[in-house]
Amino acid sequence: MILQDNVIKEYLKNVYFITGTPCGGKTTISRELAKRHNLLVYDIDEQFEKHRKMSNPAFQPSMNKVFKDADEFFGRTVEEYKKWLIENTREQLDFVLLDLIRLSQNQIVLCDCHLTVEEAKKITEASRIVFLIKEPSNLVDDYCNRPDHKGFSDFINSTSDTEKAKKMCNATLKSLNEKRCRDIKDSDYYWIERTAKGTIDETAEKVERHFGFIKKYFNMNELEIKRVDKGTDLADKLIDFVENFSWEDVKKHMLEILRSWMFTDWETPFAAIVNGEIAGMATIMRTDYYPMPEIYPWISSIFVTEKYRGYRISEKLIDFANQYAKENGFNKTYIPSEHTGLYEKYGYRYVKDILNYGNGKDRLYVKELKK
């Protein structure tokens, strides 16, 4: 039996996924939020042995693969180990989803798991998932130094050549998670990168806000969205905002546009402002990062700073931009995205896949503007 994505998402609407890469803080933040809000945590690693006993070697061969000792386990090549890890996670996911459907019927569940961006698209909405990531180097030592991972630490230290085993394991995790980190950062999902300066409280607060678990820190009546005009104090503030925001892939290009003020005719940036502080931005442009001059206007560079995420400010920016487009005689607007299930909530519909100038594939969305 194959369940359609919309069916799975509906049955998992009470599940909030905390996922990402090893040592990104998934377990710590899951348990911190559970403590603050009296929620159930479902840790898929803790469920693996139960699921393995329920599995069948014919259908879940990786989950049932047996190793005679640690030397055989860590004696594989990087590609063999990586393939086994990926297949283990994929095979266990069916058990996980059925557990979550059962557990979340009448309560909210926090799921501490290992989802890829593509898997996330199939089972949940962007508002119910956060990716916690860490730069994938020296992950084995970080992992082994945690008291809740003593079993793994004892196992790898039982090898006849522990340093060789750790080197192979580190190489595998780095190879596996470098791409995942890039995919996560390039997606439209909310992600937080773990740094030495970050604290548990700060990270938990960001995730709380994204999930909508806490009351707003400001009244939405305090939110104001403005068109930004050239040479104004607000234009200077917007440049400063972009200089300091975390969207590294867009920062350089956006700063070039703002500093040179490359907006012509009706093109313009917009700023979302809370108590004099810029909380987010968007632009409406004739062209975007796509060789499609016949399609416009594009609503692009939509960004809300981490402090104000979870308040639907991006939706307010898009609505404001669409009203501006109507006032300038347009009857539709376009948004490009890699994400499925986000802009549909704002009234956009998928048109087709498109290629950007970097030969990457994105999805084109359009919204018809009511008269």
Side-chain angles (χ1 to χ4, degrees), residues 13-48:
K13 62 186 178 183
N14 284 335
V15 179
Y16 290 79
F17 294 88
I18 299 179
T19 185
T21 62
C23 303
K26 302 185 300 296
T27 300
T28 301
I29 298 304
S30 297
R31 277 145 186 75
E32 178 64 21
L33 292 185
K35 182 175 66 175
R36 293 185 183 190
H37 302 281
N38 193 28
L39 300 175
L40 172 67
V41 173
Y42 180 89
D43 185 331
I44 69 167
D45 290 338
E46 294 177 354
Q47 304 297 321
F48 183 82

Short mmCIF file of all heavy atoms in Angstrom, two decimals, residues 13-48:
data_model
loop_
_atom_site.label_atom_id
_atom_site.label_comp_id
_atom_site.label_asym_id
_atom_site.label_seq_id
_atom_site.Cartn_x
_atom_site.Cartn_y
_atom_site.Cartn_z
N LYS A 13 -0.46 15.89 11.59
CA LYS A 13 -0.58 17.33 11.84
C LYS A 13 -0.28 17.71 13.29
O LYS A 13 -0.04 18.88 13.59
CB LYS A 13 -1.97 17.83 11.46
CG LYS A 13 -3.12 17.22 12.24
CD LYS A 13 -4.45 17.69 11.68
CE LYS A 13 -5.62 17.04 12.43
NZ LYS A 13 -6.91 17.45 11.83
N ASN A 14 -0.27 16.74 14.21
CA ASN A 14 0.08 17.02 15.60
C ASN A 14 1.54 16.65 15.92
O ASN A 14 1.93 16.64 17.08
CB ASN A 14 -0.83 16.24 16.56
CG ASN A 14 -2.22 16.87 16.66
OD1 ASN A 14 -2.38 18.06 16.43
ND2 ASN A 14 -3.21 16.06 16.98
N VAL A 15 2.32 16.37 14.89
CA VAL A 15 3.72 16.00 15.09
C VAL A 15 4.62 17.15 14.64
O VAL A 15 4.46 17.69 13.54
CB VAL A 15 4.10 14.72 14.30
CG1 VAL A 15 5.56 14.37 14.52
CG2 VAL A 15 3.20 13.56 14.72
N TYR A 16 5.57 17.51 15.49
CA TYR A 16 6.55 18.54 15.18
C TYR A 16 7.92 17.86 15.10
O TYR A 16 8.34 17.22 16.06
CB TYR A 16 6.53 19.64 16.23
CG TYR A 16 5.28 20.48 16.16
CD1 TYR A 16 4.09 20.03 16.72
CD2 TYR A 16 5.29 21.72 15.53
CE1 TYR A 16 2.93 20.78 16.63
CE2 TYR A 16 4.13 22.47 15.43
CZ TYR A 16 2.96 22.00 15.98
OH TYR A 16 1.81 22.75 15.88
N PHE A 17 8.57 18.01 13.97
CA PHE A 17 9.82 17.29 13.71
C PHE A 17 11.04 18.17 14.01
O PHE A 17 11.15 19.29 13.50
CB PHE A 17 9.87 16.84 12.26
CG PHE A 17 8.83 15.81 11.90
CD1 PHE A 17 7.56 16.21 11.47
CD2 PHE A 17 9.10 14.46 12.00
CE1 PHE A 17 6.59 15.27 11.15
CE2 PHE A 17 8.14 13.51 11.69
CZ PHE A 17 6.88 13.92 11.26
N ILE A 18 11.93 17.64 14.84
CA ILE A 18 13.21 18.28 15.11
C ILE A 18 14.28 17.38 14.53
O ILE A 18 14.56 16.30 15.06
CB ILE A 18 13.41 18.51 16.61
CG1 ILE A 18 12.29 19.43 17.15
CG2 ILE A 18 14.78 19.13 16.89
CD1 ILE A 18 12.36 19.69 18.63
N THR A 19 14.84 17.81 13.41
CA THR A 19 15.75 16.96 12.66
C THR A 19 17.01 17.73 12.30
O THR A 19 17.25 18.80 12.83
CB THR A 19 15.04 16.40 11.41
OG1 THR A 19 15.89 15.46 10.74
CG2 THR A 19 14.65 17.50 10.45
N GLY A 20 17.83 17.19 11.43
CA GLY A 20 19.06 17.88 11.05
C GLY A 20 20.22 16.93 10.91
O GLY A 20 20.07 15.82 10.40
N THR A 21 21.39 17.34 11.38
CA THR A 21 22.61 16.54 11.25
C THR A 21 23.11 16.13 12.64
O THR A 21 22.69 16.71 13.64
CB THR A 21 23.71 17.33 10.53
OG1 THR A 21 24.05 18.49 11.31
CG2 THR A 21 23.24 17.77 9.15
N PRO A 22 24.01 15.15 12.71
CA PRO A 22 24.54 14.73 14.01
C PRO A 22 25.16 15.90 14.77
O PRO A 22 25.82 16.77 14.19
CB PRO A 22 25.62 13.70 13.63
CG PRO A 22 25.16 13.14 12.33
CD PRO A 22 24.53 14.30 11.60
N CYS A 23 24.91 15.91 16.08
CA CYS A 23 25.46 16.92 16.99
C CYS A 23 24.94 18.32 16.73
O CYS A 23 25.52 19.32 17.16
CB CYS A 23 26.99 16.92 16.96
SG CYS A 23 27.70 15.30 17.37
N GLY A 24 23.81 18.42 16.01
CA GLY A 24 23.20 19.72 15.78
C GLY A 24 22.37 20.21 16.95
O GLY A 24 21.97 21.37 16.99
N GLY A 25 22.08 19.30 17.89
CA GLY A 25 21.31 19.68 19.07
C GLY A 25 19.89 19.15 19.09
O GLY A 25 19.07 19.59 19.91
N LYS A 26 19.58 18.18 18.23
CA LYS A 26 18.21 17.67 18.13
C LYS A 26 17.68 17.12 19.45
O LYS A 26 16.60 17.49 19.91
CB LYS A 26 18.13 16.57 17.06
CG LYS A 26 18.57 16.99 15.68
CD LYS A 26 18.34 15.89 14.65
CE LYS A 26 19.10 14.61 14.95
NZ LYS A 26 20.57 14.81 14.90
N THR A 27 18.46 16.24 20.05
CA THR A 27 18.01 15.60 21.29
C THR A 27 17.89 16.61 22.42
O THR A 27 16.91 16.61 23.18
CB THR A 27 18.99 14.48 21.68
OG1 THR A 27 19.04 13.51 20.62
CG2 THR A 27 18.56 13.80 22.97
N THR A 28 18.87 17.49 22.54
CA THR A 28 18.86 18.49 23.62
C THR A 28 17.66 19.40 23.51
O THR A 28 16.95 19.66 24.49
CB THR A 28 20.16 19.32 23.58
OG1 THR A 28 21.28 18.45 23.72
CG2 THR A 28 20.17 20.36 24.68
N ILE A 29 17.40 19.91 22.31
CA ILE A 29 16.29 20.85 22.12
C ILE A 29 14.95 20.15 22.24
O ILE A 29 13.99 20.70 22.80
CB ILE A 29 16.43 21.57 20.78
CG1 ILE A 29 17.73 22.38 20.75
CG2 ILE A 29 15.23 22.48 20.52
CD1 ILE A 29 17.87 23.40 21.88
N SER A 30 14.84 18.92 21.73
CA SER A 30 13.59 18.16 21.87
C SER A 30 13.21 18.02 23.34
O SER A 30 12.06 18.25 23.73
CB SER A 30 13.74 16.77 21.24
OG SER A 30 13.98 16.86 19.87
N ARG A 31 14.19 17.64 24.16
CA ARG A 31 13.90 17.42 25.57
C ARG A 31 13.66 18.74 26.32
O ARG A 31 12.87 18.79 27.26
CB ARG A 31 15.04 16.61 26.19
CG ARG A 31 14.84 15.12 25.93
CD ARG A 31 16.12 14.34 25.72
NE ARG A 31 15.83 12.97 25.33
CZ ARG A 31 15.41 12.60 24.12
NH1 ARG A 31 15.20 13.50 23.19
NH2 ARG A 31 15.14 11.33 23.84
N GLU A 32 14.32 19.79 25.91
CA GLU A 32 14.09 21.09 26.52
C GLU A 32 12.67 21.58 26.23
O GLU A 32 11.98 22.08 27.14
CB GLU A 32 15.12 22.10 26.01
CG GLU A 32 14.95 23.51 26.55
CD GLU A 32 15.15 23.63 28.05
OE1 GLU A 32 15.81 22.74 28.64
OE2 GLU A 32 14.65 24.60 28.65
N LEU A 33 12.23 21.44 25.01
CA LEU A 33 10.86 21.86 24.66
C LEU A 33 9.82 20.98 25.33
O LEU A 33 8.77 21.47 25.76
CB LEU A 33 10.68 21.82 23.14
CG LEU A 33 11.46 22.83 22.31
CD1 LEU A 33 11.08 22.74 20.84
CD2 LEU A 33 11.23 24.25 22.81
N ALA A 34 10.11 19.68 25.41
CA ALA A 34 9.18 18.78 26.08
C ALA A 34 9.01 19.16 27.55
O ALA A 34 7.91 19.13 28.09
CB ALA A 34 9.69 17.34 25.97
N LYS A 35 10.12 19.54 28.18
CA LYS A 35 10.08 19.95 29.59
C LYS A 35 9.29 21.25 29.75
O LYS A 35 8.48 21.38 30.68
CB LYS A 35 11.51 20.13 30.09
CG LYS A 35 11.61 20.51 31.57
CD LYS A 35 13.07 20.54 32.01
CE LYS A 35 13.84 21.65 31.34
NZ LYS A 35 15.24 21.77 31.85
N ARG A 36 9.50 22.19 28.85
CA ARG A 36 8.84 23.49 28.97
C ARG A 36 7.33 23.40 28.72
O ARG A 36 6.56 24.15 29.32
CB ARG A 36 9.44 24.48 27.97
CG ARG A 36 10.87 24.88 28.25
CD ARG A 36 11.32 25.95 27.27
NE ARG A 36 12.72 26.31 27.45
CZ ARG A 36 13.31 27.35 26.86
NH1 ARG A 36 12.60 28.14 26.06
NH2 ARG A 36 14.59 27.61 27.07
N HIS A 37 6.94 22.49 27.82
CA HIS A 37 5.54 22.47 27.39
C HIS A 37 4.83 21.15 27.68
O HIS A 37 3.71 20.94 27.21
CB HIS A 37 5.47 22.78 25.89
CG HIS A 37 6.08 24.10 25.53
ND1 HIS A 37 5.43 25.30 25.71
CD2 HIS A 37 7.30 24.41 25.02
CE1 HIS A 37 6.21 26.29 25.31
NE2 HIS A 37 7.35 25.78 24.90
N ASN A 38 5.46 20.29 28.48
CA ASN A 38 4.86 19.02 28.88
C ASN A 38 4.43 18.20 27.66
O ASN A 38 3.28 17.78 27.53
CB ASN A 38 3.65 19.27 29.79
CG ASN A 38 3.18 18.00 30.48
OD1 ASN A 38 3.96 17.07 30.72
ND2 ASN A 38 1.89 17.92 30.77
N LEU A 39 5.37 17.98 26.76
CA LEU A 39 5.10 17.27 25.52
C LEU A 39 5.81 15.92 25.49
O LEU A 39 6.80 15.71 26.18
CB LEU A 39 5.55 18.11 24.32
CG LEU A 39 4.90 19.48 24.16
CD1 LEU A 39 5.53 20.24 23.00
CD2 LEU A 39 3.40 19.35 23.95
N LEU A 40 5.31 15.03 24.65
CA LEU A 40 5.92 13.72 24.46
C LEU A 40 7.03 13.81 23.42
O LEU A 40 6.85 14.39 22.35
CB LEU A 40 4.87 12.72 23.98
CG LEU A 40 5.37 11.33 23.55
CD1 LEU A 40 5.92 10.57 24.75
CD2 LEU A 40 4.26 10.54 22.87
N VAL A 41 8.20 13.25 23.74
CA VAL A 41 9.31 13.15 22.78
C VAL A 41 9.37 11.74 22.23
O VAL A 41 9.37 10.77 22.99
CB VAL A 41 10.66 13.52 23.42
CG1 VAL A 41 11.81 13.24 22.44
CG2 VAL A 41 10.69 14.98 23.83
N TYR A 42 9.43 11.64 20.91
CA TYR A 42 9.60 10.36 20.25
C TYR A 42 10.97 10.37 19.57
O TYR A 42 11.19 11.08 18.59
CB TYR A 42 8.49 10.15 19.21
CG TYR A 42 8.58 8.85 18.45
CD1 TYR A 42 7.96 7.70 18.91
CD2 TYR A 42 9.28 8.78 17.24
CE1 TYR A 42 8.03 6.51 18.20
CE2 TYR A 42 9.35 7.60 16.52
CZ TYR A 42 8.72 6.47 17.01
OH TYR A 42 8.80 5.30 16.29
N ASP A 43 11.91 9.61 20.13
CA ASP A 43 13.28 9.54 19.63
C ASP A 43 13.42 8.29 18.78
O ASP A 43 13.32 7.17 19.29
CB ASP A 43 14.25 9.51 20.81
CG ASP A 43 15.72 9.57 20.38
OD1 ASP A 43 16.04 9.10 19.27
OD2 ASP A 43 16.52 10.09 21.16
N ILE A 44 13.67 8.44 17.48
CA ILE A 44 13.67 7.26 16.62
C ILE A 44 14.86 6.34 16.92
O ILE A 44 14.76 5.13 16.70
CB ILE A 44 13.65 7.63 15.12
CG1 ILE A 44 14.96 8.27 14.67
CG2 ILE A 44 12.48 8.54 14.80
CD1 ILE A 44 15.08 8.35 13.17
N ASP A 45 15.96 6.89 17.43
CA ASP A 45 17.10 6.03 17.79
C ASP A 45 16.73 5.08 18.92
O ASP A 45 17.15 3.92 18.93
CB ASP A 45 18.31 6.88 18.20
CG ASP A 45 18.92 7.62 17.03
OD1 ASP A 45 18.72 7.18 15.88
OD2 ASP A 45 19.60 8.65 17.26
N GLU A 46 15.94 5.57 19.87
CA GLU A 46 15.52 4.73 20.99
C GLU A 46 14.55 3.64 20.54
O GLU A 46 14.38 2.63 21.23
CB GLU A 46 14.86 5.59 22.06
CG GLU A 46 15.82 6.56 22.74
CD GLU A 46 15.13 7.44 23.77
OE1 GLU A 46 13.88 7.38 23.86
OE2 GLU A 46 15.83 8.18 24.47
N GLN A 47 13.90 3.84 19.39
CA GLN A 47 12.92 2.89 18.90
C GLN A 47 13.51 1.84 17.95
O GLN A 47 12.82 0.91 17.55
CB GLN A 47 11.79 3.64 18.16
CG GLN A 47 11.11 4.72 18.96
CD GLN A 47 10.41 4.17 20.18
OE1 GLN A 47 9.80 3.09 20.13
NE2 GLN A 47 10.47 4.89 21.28
N PHE A 48 14.79 2.01 17.60
CA PHE A 48 15.35 1.16 16.55
C PHE A 48 15.30 -0.33 16.89
O PHE A 48 14.90 -1.16 16.04
CB PHE A 48 16.80 1.55 16.23
CG PHE A 48 17.38 0.75 15.10
CD1 PHE A 48 17.13 1.10 13.79
CD2 PHE A 48 18.16 -0.38 15.35
CE1 PHE A 48 17.65 0.35 12.75
CE2 PHE A 48 18.68 -1.13 14.32
CZ PHE A 48 18.43 -0.77 13.01
#
